[in-house]
Structures are given as C-alpha cells and as structure tokens.
C-alpha cells in the first residue's frame, strides 16, 4: 500500500460519501489499500471532518497516555472507538501504548 496524501484521502472520502453504490471493499481494491485501514480512515474523517488530516504528529504526555490506557483496559469502548474519538490517525498508536504497558 502506498501512502496517500491529504488530497487523495479527501478524494477517497468524498467518493465514498457521494456514491452510495460503492462499498469500502470496492474502494479498498481500487486504491490497493488495506480494508481495515481504509475503514478506520473513513470513520475518522466522518467523525472529525477533513481538518483532522491537517493535524501534525503530536507528542502526548505520560499522564494522557496513562489515562488513555486505563480507558482502553477498564472502559466499555473498543480500542478502535476510543482511538477514533481521540482523533488518532491510526489504531496503531493505542495498540502500541497497550503493548508497551503490558510489557
């Protein structure tokens, strides 16, 4: 999978929103993008708008990470839902934090 720039991601999102006949699976094949990653990206943009793509790489405090890990472990939301709500650009960030915590 090649990396997509902001404009390409917006184009994919708009295509998905406009064309009710096109599925995420079809978009995944057309753009040679992992289905789970594409689904996450579309849900993230849907939830936060296209401006979420403008955010730069963030550095998170230790306290924020601890609170987030606690929410992931003891909360009722899935890791994906929590990541989406926090505006993480990928599920990998939370997964990495959880893995490091468990080690």
């Amino acid at each position: 999978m090649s990396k997509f720039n902001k404009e390409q991601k917006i184009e994919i999102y708009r295509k998905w929103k406009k064309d009710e006949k096109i599925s995420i699976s079809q978009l995944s094949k057309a753009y040679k993008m992992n289905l789970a990653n594409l689904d996450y990206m579309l849900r993230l943009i849907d939830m936060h708008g296209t401006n979420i793509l403008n955010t730069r790489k963030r550095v998170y405090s230790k306290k924020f990470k601890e609170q987030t890990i606690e929410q992931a472990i003891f909360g009722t939301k899935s890791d994906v839902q929590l990541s989406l709500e926090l505006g993480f650009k990928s599920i990998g960030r939370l997964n990495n934090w959880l893995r490091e915590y468990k080690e």
Side-chain angles (χ1 to χ4, degrees):
M1 177 188 90
S2 62
K3 212 166 185 174
F4 294 93
N5 64 34
K6 176 186 167 187
E7 290 76 23
Q8 291 168 319
K9 290 176 182 180
I10 292 171
E11 176 189 326
I12 294 167
Y13 175 75
R14 288 190 175 141
K15 190 171 201 167
W16 174 67
K17 286 303 266 188
K18 280 185 180 177
D19 191 348
E20 295 176 8
K21 296 176 185 172
I22 194 161
S23 69
I24 294 175
S25 179
Q26 290 169 318
L27 281 173
S28 170
K29 289 176 186 171
Y31 288 94
K32 296 182 174 105
M33 191 174 188
N34 175 282
L35 182 63
N37 293 342
L38 176 60
D39 180 57
Y40 186 88
M41 181 192 82
L42 294 173
R43 290 170 61 190
L44 181 70
I45 296 170
D46 214 32
M47 183 179 281
H48 294 279
T50 56
N51 284 337
I52 193 73
L53 302 175
N54 294 334
T55 58
R56 299 206 180 257
K57 190 173 182 178
R58 292 183 52 193
V59 176
Y60 297 93
S61 70
K62 184 176 179 180
K63 183 176 181 176
F64 179 82
K65 288 180 184 180
E66 289 171 351
Q67 291 172 336
T68 302
I69 290 167
E70 191 175 300
Q71 285 180 2
I73 294 172
F74 301 111
T76 58
K77 297 175 185 167
S78 71
D79 293 351
V80 172
Q81 187 61 36
L82 183 58
S83 292
L84 285 167
E85 288 178 8
L86 294 172
F88 293 164
K89 288 193 178 177
S90 79
I91 183 65
R93 180 177 309 275
L94 180 56
N95 287 339
N96 290 341
W97 291 358
L98 290 168
R99 187 185 71 249
E100 289 169 8
Y101 172 79
K102 290 174 184 175
E103 292 173 356

PDB file of all heavy atoms in Angstrom, residues 1-2 4 8 11-13 15 22 25-34 38:
ATOM      1  N   MET A   1       0.841  -1.179   0.000  1.00  0.00           N
ATOM      2  CA  MET A   1       0.000   0.000   0.000  1.00  0.00           C
ATOM      3  C   MET A   1       0.882   1.236   0.000  1.00  0.00           C
ATOM      4  O   MET A   1       1.782   1.360   0.803  1.00  0.00           O
ATOM      5  CB  MET A   1      -0.893   0.005   1.240  1.00  0.00           C
ATOM      6  CG  MET A   1      -1.734   1.246   1.344  1.00  0.00           C
ATOM      7  SD  MET A   1      -2.614   1.376   2.907  1.00  0.00           S
ATOM      8  CE  MET A   1      -1.419   2.259   3.865  1.00  0.00           C
ATOM      9  N   SER A   2       0.608   2.107  -0.903  1.00  0.00           N
ATOM     10  CA  SER A   2       1.354   3.359  -0.913  1.00  0.00           C
ATOM     11  C   SER A   2       0.696   4.324   0.056  1.00  0.00           C
ATOM     12  O   SER A   2      -0.480   4.203   0.385  1.00  0.00           O
ATOM     13  CB  SER A   2       1.372   3.941  -2.319  1.00  0.00           C
ATOM     14  OG  SER A   2       0.062   4.226  -2.735  1.00  0.00           O
ATOM     15  N   PHE A   4      -0.948   7.741   1.124  1.00  0.00           N
ATOM     16  CA  PHE A   4      -1.787   8.719   0.443  1.00  0.00           C
ATOM     17  C   PHE A   4      -1.608  10.084   1.086  1.00  0.00           C
ATOM     18  O   PHE A   4      -1.520  10.198   2.304  1.00  0.00           O
ATOM     19  CB  PHE A   4      -3.259   8.304   0.502  1.00  0.00           C
ATOM     20  CG  PHE A   4      -3.554   7.050  -0.271  1.00  0.00           C
ATOM     21  CD1 PHE A   4      -3.528   5.814   0.347  1.00  0.00           C
ATOM     22  CD2 PHE A   4      -3.832   7.112  -1.618  1.00  0.00           C
ATOM     23  CE1 PHE A   4      -3.790   4.655  -0.367  1.00  0.00           C
ATOM     24  CE2 PHE A   4      -4.092   5.967  -2.347  1.00  0.00           C
ATOM     25  CZ  PHE A   4      -4.070   4.736  -1.718  1.00  0.00           C
ATOM     26  N   GLN A   8      -5.561  13.116  -1.616  1.00  0.00           N
ATOM     27  CA  GLN A   8      -6.018  11.797  -2.050  1.00  0.00           C
ATOM     28  C   GLN A   8      -6.987  11.185  -1.038  1.00  0.00           C
ATOM     29  O   GLN A   8      -7.985  10.574  -1.414  1.00  0.00           O
ATOM     30  CB  GLN A   8      -4.818  10.866  -2.257  1.00  0.00           C
ATOM     31  CG  GLN A   8      -3.956  11.246  -3.442  1.00  0.00           C
ATOM     32  CD  GLN A   8      -2.633  10.511  -3.456  1.00  0.00           C
ATOM     33  OE1 GLN A   8      -1.982  10.338  -2.429  1.00  0.00           O
ATOM     34  NE2 GLN A   8      -2.237  10.064  -4.646  1.00  0.00           N
ATOM     35  N   GLU A  11     -10.263  12.868  -1.463  1.00  0.00           N
ATOM     36  CA  GLU A  11     -10.895  12.364  -2.693  1.00  0.00           C
ATOM     37  C   GLU A  11     -11.557  11.003  -2.440  1.00  0.00           C
ATOM     38  O   GLU A  11     -12.692  10.769  -2.850  1.00  0.00           O
ATOM     39  CB  GLU A  11      -9.841  12.226  -3.790  1.00  0.00           C
ATOM     40  CG  GLU A  11     -10.357  11.614  -5.083  1.00  0.00           C
ATOM     41  CD  GLU A  11      -9.219  11.309  -6.053  1.00  0.00           C
ATOM     42  OE1 GLU A  11      -8.228  12.062  -6.081  1.00  0.00           O
ATOM     43  OE2 GLU A  11      -9.348  10.318  -6.786  1.00  0.00           O
ATOM     44  N   ILE A  12     -10.860  10.111  -1.771  1.00  0.00           N
ATOM     45  CA  ILE A  12     -11.414   8.786  -1.448  1.00  0.00           C
ATOM     46  C   ILE A  12     -12.633   8.934  -0.553  1.00  0.00           C
ATOM     47  O   ILE A  12     -13.672   8.304  -0.785  1.00  0.00           O
ATOM     48  CB  ILE A  12     -10.343   7.894  -0.772  1.00  0.00           C
ATOM     49  CG1 ILE A  12      -9.209   7.587  -1.753  1.00  0.00           C
ATOM     50  CG2 ILE A  12     -10.971   6.601  -0.259  1.00  0.00           C
ATOM     51  CD1 ILE A  12      -7.970   6.979  -1.107  1.00  0.00           C
ATOM     52  N   TYR A  13     -12.543   9.797   0.447  1.00  0.00           N
ATOM     53  CA  TYR A  13     -13.667  10.016   1.365  1.00  0.00           C
ATOM     54  C   TYR A  13     -14.884  10.555   0.621  1.00  0.00           C
ATOM     55  O   TYR A  13     -16.002  10.061   0.803  1.00  0.00           O
ATOM     56  CB  TYR A  13     -13.251  10.987   2.478  1.00  0.00           C
ATOM     57  CG  TYR A  13     -14.382  11.364   3.389  1.00  0.00           C
ATOM     58  CD1 TYR A  13     -14.851  10.467   4.347  1.00  0.00           C
ATOM     59  CD2 TYR A  13     -15.012  12.602   3.291  1.00  0.00           C
ATOM     60  CE1 TYR A  13     -15.903  10.800   5.180  1.00  0.00           C
ATOM     61  CE2 TYR A  13     -16.065  12.948   4.122  1.00  0.00           C
ATOM     62  CZ  TYR A  13     -16.502  12.037   5.059  1.00  0.00           C
ATOM     63  OH  TYR A  13     -17.552  12.359   5.876  1.00  0.00           O
ATOM     64  N   LYS A  15     -15.602  10.313  -2.533  1.00  0.00           N
ATOM     65  CA  LYS A  15     -16.115   9.275  -3.423  1.00  0.00           C
ATOM     66  C   LYS A  15     -17.000   8.306  -2.633  1.00  0.00           C
ATOM     67  O   LYS A  15     -18.073   7.922  -3.077  1.00  0.00           O
ATOM     68  CB  LYS A  15     -14.956   8.528  -4.081  1.00  0.00           C
ATOM     69  CG  LYS A  15     -15.363   7.606  -5.179  1.00  0.00           C
ATOM     70  CD  LYS A  15     -14.138   7.079  -5.902  1.00  0.00           C
ATOM     71  CE  LYS A  15     -14.556   6.590  -7.265  1.00  0.00           C
ATOM     72  NZ  LYS A  15     -13.443   6.342  -8.146  1.00  0.00           N
ATOM     73  N   ILE A  22     -20.936   2.361  -4.050  1.00  0.00           N
ATOM     74  CA  ILE A  22     -19.567   1.878  -3.878  1.00  0.00           C
ATOM     75  C   ILE A  22     -19.330   1.498  -2.411  1.00  0.00           C
ATOM     76  O   ILE A  22     -19.658   2.244  -1.506  1.00  0.00           O
ATOM     77  CB  ILE A  22     -18.517   2.900  -4.360  1.00  0.00           C
ATOM     78  CG1 ILE A  22     -17.166   2.241  -4.492  1.00  0.00           C
ATOM     79  CG2 ILE A  22     -18.452   4.116  -3.470  1.00  0.00           C
ATOM     80  CD1 ILE A  22     -16.203   3.016  -5.364  1.00  0.00           C
ATOM     81  N   SER A  25     -15.125  -2.057   0.577  1.00  0.00           N
ATOM     82  CA  SER A  25     -14.369  -3.166  -0.018  1.00  0.00           C
ATOM     83  C   SER A  25     -13.948  -2.828  -1.451  1.00  0.00           C
ATOM     84  O   SER A  25     -12.811  -3.085  -1.854  1.00  0.00           O
ATOM     85  CB  SER A  25     -15.206  -4.440   0.014  1.00  0.00           C
ATOM     86  OG  SER A  25     -14.513  -5.495  -0.561  1.00  0.00           O
ATOM     87  N   GLN A  26     -14.865  -2.265  -2.224  1.00  0.00           N
ATOM     88  CA  GLN A  26     -14.548  -1.882  -3.601  1.00  0.00           C
ATOM     89  C   GLN A  26     -13.497  -0.774  -3.639  1.00  0.00           C
ATOM     90  O   GLN A  26     -12.586  -0.798  -4.467  1.00  0.00           O
ATOM     91  CB  GLN A  26     -15.818  -1.433  -4.335  1.00  0.00           C
ATOM     92  CG  GLN A  26     -16.786  -2.572  -4.617  1.00  0.00           C
ATOM     93  CD  GLN A  26     -18.130  -2.072  -5.103  1.00  0.00           C
ATOM     94  OE1 GLN A  26     -18.670  -1.095  -4.578  1.00  0.00           O
ATOM     95  NE2 GLN A  26     -18.679  -2.746  -6.104  1.00  0.00           N
ATOM     96  N   LEU A  27     -13.622   0.195  -2.731  1.00  0.00           N
ATOM     97  CA  LEU A  27     -12.629   1.267  -2.652  1.00  0.00           C
ATOM     98  C   LEU A  27     -11.265   0.702  -2.259  1.00  0.00           C
ATOM     99  O   LEU A  27     -10.242   1.119  -2.785  1.00  0.00           O
ATOM    100  CB  LEU A  27     -13.053   2.324  -1.628  1.00  0.00           C
ATOM    101  CG  LEU A  27     -14.097   3.332  -2.078  1.00  0.00           C
ATOM    102  CD1 LEU A  27     -14.533   4.187  -0.897  1.00  0.00           C
ATOM    103  CD2 LEU A  27     -13.562   4.211  -3.187  1.00  0.00           C
ATOM    104  N   SER A  28     -11.282  -0.240  -1.341  1.00  0.00           N
ATOM    105  CA  SER A  28     -10.045  -0.873  -0.889  1.00  0.00           C
ATOM    106  C   SER A  28      -9.302  -1.519  -2.054  1.00  0.00           C
ATOM    107  O   SER A  28      -8.090  -1.355  -2.203  1.00  0.00           O
ATOM    108  CB  SER A  28     -10.367  -1.912   0.178  1.00  0.00           C
ATOM    109  OG  SER A  28      -9.254  -2.697   0.482  1.00  0.00           O
ATOM    110  N   LYS A  29     -10.044  -2.210  -2.896  1.00  0.00           N
ATOM    111  CA  LYS A  29      -9.441  -2.862  -4.062  1.00  0.00           C
ATOM    112  C   LYS A  29      -8.982  -1.833  -5.090  1.00  0.00           C
ATOM    113  O   LYS A  29      -7.893  -1.935  -5.646  1.00  0.00           O
ATOM    114  CB  LYS A  29     -10.426  -3.842  -4.695  1.00  0.00           C
ATOM    115  CG  LYS A  29     -10.652  -5.076  -3.858  1.00  0.00           C
ATOM    116  CD  LYS A  29     -11.701  -5.971  -4.450  1.00  0.00           C
ATOM    117  CE  LYS A  29     -12.012  -7.118  -3.505  1.00  0.00           C
ATOM    118  NZ  LYS A  29     -13.160  -7.899  -3.930  1.00  0.00           N
ATOM    119  N   ALA A  30      -9.814  -0.826  -5.334  1.00  0.00           N
ATOM    120  CA  ALA A  30      -9.498   0.184  -6.344  1.00  0.00           C
ATOM    121  C   ALA A  30      -8.235   0.974  -5.985  1.00  0.00           C
ATOM    122  O   ALA A  30      -7.438   1.306  -6.857  1.00  0.00           O
ATOM    123  CB  ALA A  30     -10.672   1.136  -6.523  1.00  0.00           C
ATOM    124  N   TYR A  31      -8.062   1.271  -4.703  1.00  0.00           N
ATOM    125  CA  TYR A  31      -6.920   2.069  -4.273  1.00  0.00           C
ATOM    126  C   TYR A  31      -5.799   1.221  -3.676  1.00  0.00           C
ATOM    127  O   TYR A  31      -4.812   1.771  -3.179  1.00  0.00           O
ATOM    128  CB  TYR A  31      -7.362   3.134  -3.266  1.00  0.00           C
ATOM    129  CG  TYR A  31      -8.155   4.251  -3.912  1.00  0.00           C
ATOM    130  CD1 TYR A  31      -9.552   4.216  -3.943  1.00  0.00           C
ATOM    131  CD2 TYR A  31      -7.512   5.327  -4.504  1.00  0.00           C
ATOM    132  CE1 TYR A  31     -10.277   5.235  -4.544  1.00  0.00           C
ATOM    133  CE2 TYR A  31      -8.225   6.347  -5.100  1.00  0.00           C
ATOM    134  CZ  TYR A  31      -9.608   6.289  -5.120  1.00  0.00           C
ATOM    135  OH  TYR A  31     -10.318   7.305  -5.717  1.00  0.00           O
ATOM    136  N   LYS A  32      -5.980  -0.108  -3.720  1.00  0.00           N
ATOM    137  CA  LYS A  32      -4.976  -1.033  -3.177  1.00  0.00           C
ATOM    138  C   LYS A  32      -4.608  -0.657  -1.744  1.00  0.00           C
ATOM    139  O   LYS A  32      -3.445  -0.518  -1.375  1.00  0.00           O
ATOM    140  CB  LYS A  32      -3.739  -1.075  -4.068  1.00  0.00           C
ATOM    141  CG  LYS A  32      -4.039  -1.612  -5.447  1.00  0.00           C
ATOM    142  CD  LYS A  32      -2.794  -1.680  -6.295  1.00  0.00           C
ATOM    143  CE  LYS A  32      -3.125  -2.364  -7.595  1.00  0.00           C
ATOM    144  NZ  LYS A  32      -3.217  -1.505  -8.715  1.00  0.00           N
ATOM    145  N   MET A  33      -5.656  -0.485  -0.949  1.00  0.00           N
ATOM    146  CA  MET A  33      -5.493  -0.065   0.445  1.00  0.00           C
ATOM    147  C   MET A  33      -6.070  -1.141   1.354  1.00  0.00           C
ATOM    148  O   MET A  33      -7.112  -1.722   1.053  1.00  0.00           O
ATOM    149  CB  MET A  33      -6.234   1.261   0.645  1.00  0.00           C
ATOM    150  CG  MET A  33      -5.965   1.957   1.930  1.00  0.00           C
ATOM    151  SD  MET A  33      -6.782   3.577   1.907  1.00  0.00           S
ATOM    152  CE  MET A  33      -6.127   4.281   3.389  1.00  0.00           C
ATOM    153  N   ASN A  34      -5.403  -1.395   2.459  1.00  0.00           N
ATOM    154  CA  ASN A  34      -5.876  -2.360   3.443  1.00  0.00           C
ATOM    155  C   ASN A  34      -7.287  -1.978   3.887  1.00  0.00           C
ATOM    156  O   ASN A  34      -7.543  -0.817   4.233  1.00  0.00           O
ATOM    157  CB  ASN A  34      -4.905  -2.382   4.626  1.00  0.00           C
ATOM    158  CG  ASN A  34      -5.364  -3.266   5.744  1.00  0.00           C
ATOM    159  OD1 ASN A  34      -6.238  -2.882   6.513  1.00  0.00           O
ATOM    160  ND2 ASN A  34      -4.767  -4.434   5.836  1.00  0.00           N
ATOM    161  N   LEU A  38      -8.508   1.511   5.639  1.00  0.00           N
ATOM    162  CA  LEU A  38      -9.423   2.378   4.896  1.00  0.00           C
ATOM    163  C   LEU A  38     -10.676   2.655   5.711  1.00  0.00           C
ATOM    164  O   LEU A  38     -11.118   3.802   5.818  1.00  0.00           O
ATOM    165  CB  LEU A  38      -9.792   1.750   3.550  1.00  0.00           C
ATOM    166  CG  LEU A  38     -10.819   2.521   2.719  1.00  0.00           C
ATOM    167  CD1 LEU A  38     -10.315   3.915   2.375  1.00  0.00           C
ATOM    168  CD2 LEU A  38     -11.162   1.752   1.453  1.00  0.00           C
TER     169      LEU A  38
END
